[in-house]
């Protein structure tokens, strides 16, 4: 199933509403004890203004109102016990009241902003799930796992894209990266995925699927120029598209799983297995949107297709440049192939798709920790043909 990076969780003792309420309660008690301990020589009770301010930063309006009332009541109680002079008490009392009112207003503004942020996050999740549709487990006869991390964690969707599309001609797989960032990159990735899902299902030859993607990218460039989006008019996308050979439903795959592969300005995938790591052959295609620059065009048009296969136990790892161009503090790029080769020597079971994606994602995170370089979108997709093809009808 699709995997995702899980955010750091708070410490166990900070979880829950009661633990959050404990902080302003503790602060209020400490101020009261400190005031009673120091006596009239040092008016520590004036620090009670920090209690509603802390509450406003942690909780909602209701809790802030409650602790504001408690703060005012605590001030009046201490004032009555210590009997300070009226001239000294009123300015401090006025300060406490004003601080409580400001804290309540600030809490209301903060909560309104949080609600807007939650709605925007929900909308971003809908956009992400529309562009990168959720895929079923063992979809298209493939054991697969993916990791999708955007450089903009607020937007939650970027220019990277991937998908699996079953068809009567075999399961088609794509992974790509649209040049640039922002809404233009998201729009380009969305239209390319839509084209892939249709062409991957209907077209018999992988070359025709790639040709349809090139045409769609050209149309997107023309559309962006018409809107006056200079960068969008020159935007391109790199991609890897492959097609696994079809298997009759209910039969067992024997030997190498054959597939056609086309690389369109993208790094070739890696075949990862117990015997090591090897890159697939590159077809040498140009990025989508730059088809006029292609030199080695086969008869009939379209990019060149190469033939390859996966041995039993091998997993195909597709990745974007957010992996290979991840740099540490010294500017050294992450050595993907070398690191995987070393890791497989210690643990051959790492070639399983879910473990492979998890390992590379964690390794990249460790590699870039503390680096000052700007991060890029990172996408990993690991696929392995299942021994038995599930008897399911492909979605149109």
């Amino acid at each position: 199933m699709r995997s995702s990076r899980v955010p750091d969780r708070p410490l166990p003792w900070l979880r829950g509403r009661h633990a959050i309420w404990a902080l302003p309660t503790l602060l209020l008690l400490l101020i009261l004890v400190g005031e009673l301990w120091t006596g009239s020589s040092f008016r520590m009770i004036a620090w009670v203004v920090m209690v509603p301010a802390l509450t406003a930063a942690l909780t909602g309006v209701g809790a802030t109102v409650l602790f504001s009332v408690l703060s005012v009541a605590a001030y009046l109680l201490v004032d009555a016990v210590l009997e300070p002079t009226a001239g000294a008490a009123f300015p401090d009392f006025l300060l406490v009241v004003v601080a409580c009112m400001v804290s309540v207003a600030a809490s209301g503004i903060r909560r309104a902003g949080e609600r807007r942020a939650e709605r925007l996050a929900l909308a971003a999740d809908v956009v992400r799930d529309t562009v990168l549709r959720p895929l079923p487990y063992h979809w298209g006869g493939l054991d697969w796992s993916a990791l999708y991390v955007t450089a903009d964690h607020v937007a939650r969707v970027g220019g990277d894209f991937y998908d699996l599309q079953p068809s009567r001609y075999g399961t088609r797989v794509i992974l790509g990266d649209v040049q640039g960032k922002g809404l233009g990159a998201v729009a380009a990735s969305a239209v390319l995925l839509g084209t892939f899902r249709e062409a991957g299902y209907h077209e018999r030859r992988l070359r025709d699927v790639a040709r349809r993607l090139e045409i769609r990218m050209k149309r997107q460039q023309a559309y962006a120029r018409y809107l006056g989006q200079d960068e969008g008019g020159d935007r391109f996308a790199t991609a890897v598209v492959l097609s696994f050979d079809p298997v009759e439903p209910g039969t067992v795959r024997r030997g190498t799983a054959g597939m056609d592969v086309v690389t369109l300005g993208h790094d070739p995938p890696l075949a990862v297995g117990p015997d090591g790591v090897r890159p697939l052959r590159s077809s040498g295609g140009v990025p989508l949107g730059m088809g006029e620059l292609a030199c080695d065009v086969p008869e009939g048009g379209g990019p060149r297709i190469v033939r390859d296969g996966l041995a039993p136990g091998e997993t195909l790892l597709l990745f974007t440049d957010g992996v290979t161009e991840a740099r540490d503090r010294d500017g050294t790029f992450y050595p993907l192939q070398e690191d995987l080769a070393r890791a497989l020597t210690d643990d051959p079971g790492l070639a399983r798709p879910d473990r492979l994606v998890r390992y590379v994602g964690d390794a990249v995170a460790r590699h870039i920790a503390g680096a000052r370089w700007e991060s890029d979108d990172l996408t990993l997709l690991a696929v392995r043909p299942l021994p038995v093809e599930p008897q399911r009808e492909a979605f149109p």
Side-chain angles (χ1 to χ4, degrees):
M1 63 180 62
R2 182 191 305 175
S3 59
S4 59
R5 191 172 301 278
V6 179
D8 295 334
R9 292 174 178 165
L11 296 175
W13 60 276
L14 282 179
R15 295 176 187 169
R17 180 182 304 176
H18 299 294
I20 295 178
W21 281 41
L23 294 177
T25 302
L26 179 61
L27 178 61
L28 179 59
L29 292 176
L30 289 176
I31 293 174
L32 287 174
V33 172
E35 174 65 23
L36 296 175
W37 181 266
T38 58
S40 58
S41 61
F42 181 75
R43 289 191 56 80
M44 192 173 179
I45 190 60
W47 293 9
V48 81
V49 295
M50 295 188 298
V51 174
L54 177 62
T55 310
L58 297 177
T59 62
V61 176
T64 305
V65 171
L66 173 62
F67 277 95
S68 297
V69 173
L70 291 176
S71 298
V72 173
Y75 183 90
L76 293 176
L77 177 62
V78 171
D79 226 20
V81 172
L82 298 181
E83 297 181 354
T85 60
F90 182 75
D92 289 348
F93 177 73
L94 183 61
L95 174 63
V96 172
V97 173
V98 172
C100 290
M101 296 174 60
V102 172
S103 297
V104 172
S107 178
I109 295 173
R110 181 183 62 81
R111 285 297 299 148
E114 288 178 350
R115 286 191 290 268
R116 285 194 297 270
E118 290 170 359
R119 289 194 293 268
L120 290 175
L122 178 60
D125 288 340
V126 172
V127 172
R128 181 194 58 202
D129 290 340
T130 301
V131 176
L132 297 174
R133 59 177 180 173
L135 298 174
Y137 189 53
H138 287 176
W139 181 235
L142 298 177
D143 182 9
W144 71 277
S145 183
L147 176 65
Y148 183 84
V149 181
T150 59
D152 186 351
H153 298 289
V154 177
R156 305 194 186 201
V157 63
D160 288 2
F161 58 92
Y162 69 90
D163 202 1
L164 283 68
Q165 179 58 58
S167 77
R168 62 180 64 89
Y169 310 115
T171 299
R172 275 66 191 270
V173 179
I174 188 172
L175 181 138
D177 181 7
V178 176
Q179 173 264 336
K181 298 180 180 180
L183 293 178
V186 176
S189 63
V191 298
L192 288 174
L193 282 175
T195 300
F196 168 77
R197 289 161 188 162
E198 291 301 311
Y201 181 81
H202 291 288
E203 298 291 350
R204 178 185 297 273
R205 301 188 307 168
L206 186 63
R207 178 177 291 113
D208 294 330
V209 176
R211 184 188 295 116
R212 291 269 297 270
L213 290 170
E214 170 68 20
I215 294 172
R216 189 63 184 89
M217 192 66 203
K218 284 293 187 182
R219 291 174 55 198
Q220 183 68 17
Q221 290 174 339
Y223 173 74
R225 283 193 292 267
Y226 182 79
L227 293 179
Q229 300 173 354
D230 296 335
E231 181 187 359
D234 298 327
R235 197 183 301 274
F236 61 86
T238 65
V240 176
V241 190
L242 56 94
S243 178
F244 285 95
D245 293 344
V247 177
E248 291 297 325
T251 61
V252 178
R253 295 183 189 267
R254 300 186 184 277
T256 301
M259 58 187 173
D260 294 329
V261 183
V262 56
T263 52
L264 303 167
H266 204 92
D267 291 328
L270 298 177
V272 182
D275 296 330
V277 184
R278 62 179 178 87
L280 299 188
R281 290 189 299 149
S282 173
S283 66
V286 299
L288 295 170
M290 304 174 67
E292 68 278 2
L293 302 179
C295 299
D296 184 14
V297 180
E299 184 178 354
R304 187 166 64 93
I305 306 296
V306 296
R307 185 73 179 168
D308 214 315
L310 290 179
E314 281 190 323
T315 296
L316 191 65
L317 179 65
L318 299 86
F319 49 90
T320 60
D321 58 7
V323 177
T324 53
E325 296 182 3
R327 293 184 286 178
D328 61 10
R329 297 178 183 179
D330 301 325
T332 303
F333 293 111
Y334 171 62
L336 173 61
Q337 187 170 344
E338 294 80 1
D339 185 38
L340 282 178
R342 288 193 299 267
L344 285 167
T345 302
D346 299 331
D347 183 7
L350 192 66
R352 205 174 68 189
D354 56 339
R355 292 192 59 195
L356 181 59
V357 165
R358 190 181 306 116
Y359 173 82
V360 176
D362 292 341
V364 171
R366 289 192 300 268
H367 186 78
I368 65 175
R372 62 183 182 277
W373 316 102
E374 183 180 359
S375 60
D376 197 2
D377 296 340
L378 181 153
T379 303
L380 294 164
L381 175 63
V383 296
R384 174 190 287 183
L386 293 169
V388 179
E389 183 80 2
Q391 298 188 29
R392 296 181 181 177
E393 182 179 355
F395 280 11

